[in-house]
Amino acid sequence: MDYMAKELTQDQIVEKRASLIAHAITILDSEGPDALTLRRLAVEAGVSRSTPYLYFKDKAALKDAMQVEGFIMLTSAYKKALEGLTHNRMRMKSLGDTYVAFALAHPELYELIFLTKSRRAPMSDNLAKVVDAYCVLTEEPMQAAWDAGELSMEPERLNKVLWVSLHGLLSLNRAGVIGGQSDFEALRADLGKILCFGFLPDDGRQELKTIYAPDLD
């Protein structure tokens, strides 16, 4: 960094680093994780082979920076999606729609930030900071709905159920076993209805609640 400090201003260093991360995400999403190397990044960004190493000591550091950027991107999309919405459950739905849109637009980045083994390792300070900000934003509408008596399951449990459901749908879609886009959208709509209203008629729901009351209360 001493060399860069002599040649570039701090703003230029930040800009160059952001540009390299953006190019790395492009490689990841278009060519997959196996294509992502610091040497390949240099070619994509049109810089010398040594330049990426001035900003990222190794591939792990680059991936960490990409995870940080991924969470920033998704959090920014969430904030935009929530603009003007006041109804708690509509806000929850908007976040779900945005989550799916992000996963479809950036499938490899989605997997990197949510599913890679590195996400289970201790996080860097920068990554922990953006993950915390992401969690606060995603949990707030659900907590508000719970506090208002609009949900029957506490937010922590419900959040896990929704995440597992959406991730399962996205994973099957990515594996190509669902069908075309229309099939995906139909399944997504059905999944949303079942998660919100169940799959039994009103009398059936009451009977089920009587049998499994400890789990449904």
Side-chain angles (χ1 to χ4, degrees):
M1 287 296 183
D2 289 341
Y3 170 78
M4 287 192 295
K6 295 176 183 178
E7 300 296 326
L8 301 175
T9 66
Q10 185 59 38
D11 286 345
Q12 289 173 325
I13 291 173
V14 171
E15 182 179 350
K16 174 61 72 174
R17 187 175 187 275
S19 175
L20 289 171
I21 294 171
H23 282 297
I25 290 174
T26 297
I27 295 171
L28 179 67
D29 276 337
S30 61
E31 302 177 35
D34 291 341
L36 182 62
T37 65
L38 290 172
R39 179 173 293 187
R40 175 70 181 85
L41 175 58
V43 173
E44 177 72 19
V47 298
S48 69
R49 290 183 180 181
S50 62
T51 295
Y53 290 94
L54 297 174
Y55 297 86
F56 314 102
K57 67 177 182 179
D58 52 26
K59 187 174 179 179
L62 173 61
K63 284 187 173 182
D64 181 86
M66 293 168 67
Q67 288 175 318
V68 169
E69 181 61 22
F71 276 107
I72 290 174
M73 290 167 60
L74 186 50
T75 300
S76 177
Y78 277 175
K79 289 179 179 179
K80 184 175 181 180
L82 291 174
E83 289 179 358
L85 297 181
T86 57
H87 191 286
N88 292 324
R89 282 177 288 191
M90 284 301 298
R91 295 167 72 207
M92 290 171 56
K93 180 181 183 301
S94 182
L95 291 183
D97 290 342
T98 304
Y99 178 91
V100 171
F102 179 87
L104 294 177
H106 303 282
E108 295 290 351
L109 182 59
Y110 167 82
E111 183 161 333
L112 177 66
I113 67 176
F114 285 113
L115 303 175
T116 59
K117 292 181 180 179
S118 62
R119 285 285 290 112
R120 296 190 287 274
M123 289 186 283
S124 67
D125 290 343
N126 285 340
L127 182 55
K129 182 178 179 180
V130 296
V131 169
D132 285 346
Y134 168 83
C135 290
V136 168
L137 184 62
T138 57
E139 292 168 3
E140 191 278 328
M142 197 174 295
Q143 185 63 51
W146 171 258
D147 293 342
E150 298 171 355
L151 300 176
S152 61
M153 180 180 289
E154 59 268 28
E156 184 177 357
R157 289 173 62 197
L158 180 58
N159 190 42
K160 290 179 180 178
V161 170
L162 295 176
W163 184 78
V164 168
S165 300
L166 281 179
H167 172 63
L169 177 65
L170 290 165
S171 295
L172 290 172
N173 182 64
R174 187 176 179 189
V177 298
I178 287 181
Q181 185 65 23
S182 59
D183 296 313
F184 172 80
E185 292 298 340
L187 278 172
R188 180 184 168 196
D190 287 341
L191 178 63
K193 291 176 183 177
I194 290 173
L195 287 172
C196 288
F197 307 112
F199 54 85
L200 298 176
D202 290 340
D203 56 347
R205 292 178 203 168
Q206 186 57 45
E207 179 182 357
L208 191 66
K209 186 171 183 179
T210 300
I211 297 172
Y212 296 104
D215 292 328
L216 294 179
D217 287 340

